[in-house]
Amino acid sequence: MGANEDKGGKCGTICLKYLLFTFNFLFWLAGGVVMAVGVWSLVEKSEYISLLPSKTYAASAYILVLAGAIVMVTGVLGCCATFKEQRRLLRVYFVLLLCIFLLEILSGVLAYIYYQQLNVELKLSLRETMVKKYQQVDQDHVTMAVDKLQQEFKCCGSNSTSDWADSVWIRSSKANSRFVPDSCCKSLTEGCGNRDHPSNIYKVEGGCISKLENFILDHLKIIGAVGVGIASVQVIGMVITCCLYRSLNVDTL
């Protein structure tokens, strides 16, 4: 009877080992995906981050990059702990899984919070950023971001083209009598902003603020979904780790 129990216990341990190894391999791949999503969120439209009033969006993406890197290292550690059957390594592995779980939940929560407040923040800040910082000293990153935003999304001004009438740059001699920046033009040429006519410049209802908001919201949905999704899968890994830890003989310490 005892022999049968030992045999059954060993079979259960072996099954748990291979199950955890399979999980770790998939987990390692998931870490690459998480890190890739974080990097993509930062690099794909990095210029626009300078137009956002808070750093929550960037923080969410950085957390995903960090979590993804830790996940990949943890996946390797998990494989070592599994095949060496060392309870000490399994404890370290479990703690790392828990830390990653909390990081990804944090990323998802930050994305959700910023999702709720983005519209209000953009309405308060985007127009002021365009009016006060465009083409100003030491604000090249803002100028490039605004130009790219207007060209890429085919829009002009925060809410409308009339926003540019209050621009510090437009009202200065440096604008050379332009009504709007050249990046508002449908056909971008030097000085094309001198003609404020719908046939020449983009006149989009809602201006650039609605375009930027929709773009950021789409990215936040992806960040939140990836963070919470991978974190949910990790719960399975933690359960398997606990089961294997308990099934291993104390002598393996």
Side-chain angles (χ1 to χ4, degrees):
M1 185 73 176
N4 288 333
E5 287 180 358
D6 289 342
K7 187 176 181 180
K10 288 180 180 178
C11 287
T13 300
I14 291 171
C15 288
L16 285 171
K17 281 175 58 177
Y18 282 101
L19 187 60
L20 188 56
F21 177 79
T22 302
F23 171 82
N24 278 316
F25 177 70
L26 295 176
F27 191 51
W28 183 82
L29 292 178
V33 172
V34 169
M35 189 161 58
V37 169
V39 171
W40 169 72
S41 300
L42 291 170
V43 175
E44 176 77 2
K45 306 294 179 185
S46 58
E47 297 92 341
Y48 297 152
I49 293 177
S50 63
L51 300 178
L52 300 178
S54 75
K55 302 301 180 185
T56 309
Y57 173 80
S60 298
Y62 279 121
I63 289 173
L64 275 189
V65 173
L66 177 62
I70 298 175
V71 162
M72 298 187 78
V73 173
T74 303
V76 176
L77 176 64
C79 290
C80 294
T82 301
F83 281 102
K84 288 188 176 182
E85 297 186 2
Q86 291 189 2
R87 288 160 61 101
R88 187 172 293 129
L89 278 178
L90 282 174
R91 284 198 296 267
V92 174
Y93 174 65
F94 180 85
V95 170
L96 285 174
L97 277 182
L98 183 60
C99 290
I100 297 165
F101 174 81
L102 295 175
L103 276 176
E104 288 173 339
I105 289 295
L106 176 61
S107 176
V109 169
L110 284 176
Y112 177 77
I113 291 173
Y114 197 51
Y115 184 93
Q116 301 298 314
Q117 66 187 41
L118 180 62
N119 180 269
V120 176
E121 288 195 358
L122 280 179
K123 283 181 178 177
L124 291 174
S125 69
L126 186 58
R127 184 180 183 280
E128 185 176 355
T129 298
M130 287 182 164
V131 167
K132 294 184 178 180
K133 295 183 179 180
Y134 185 80
Q135 291 288 7
Q136 299 305 299
V137 178
D138 296 328
Q139 297 295 335
D140 291 344
H141 60 295
V142 172
T143 300
M144 290 175 62
V146 170
D147 284 339
K148 184 170 183 177
L149 175 68
Q150 295 190 142
Q151 275 292 295
E152 186 164 333
F153 292 116
K154 297 178 170 50
C155 57
C156 184
S158 176
N159 298 291
S160 67
T161 56
S162 61
D163 291 336
W164 286 110
D166 297 323
S167 166
V168 174
W169 178 70
I170 289 293
R171 297 172 71 175
S172 71
S173 58
K174 295 179 181 179
N176 295 323
S177 302
R178 287 179 175 86
F179 292 101
V180 293
D182 293 342
S183 56
C184 282
C185 298
K186 294 178 179 179
S187 297
L188 184 59
T189 55
E190 180 67 28
C192 63
N194 287 336
R195 194 164 70 91
D196 182 15
H197 191 273
S199 63
N200 181 52
I201 64 173
Y202 296 114
K203 293 204 176 223
V204 181
E205 186 177 349
C208 291
I209 192 169
S210 59
K211 301 282 188 177
L212 181 59
E213 181 184 5
N214 289 334
F215 169 81
I216 297 298
L217 287 179
D218 288 341
H219 275 61
L220 287 174
K221 287 177 185 176
I222 295 172
I223 290 174
V226 169
V228 175
I230 299 298
S232 300
V233 174
Q234 283 177 235
V235 175
I236 300 173
M238 287 189 280
V239 170
I240 298 172
T241 303
C242 289
C243 291
L244 179 60
Y245 181 86
R246 293 184 64 183
S247 71
L248 289 177
N249 196 310
V250 180
D251 292 338
T252 57
L253 280 167

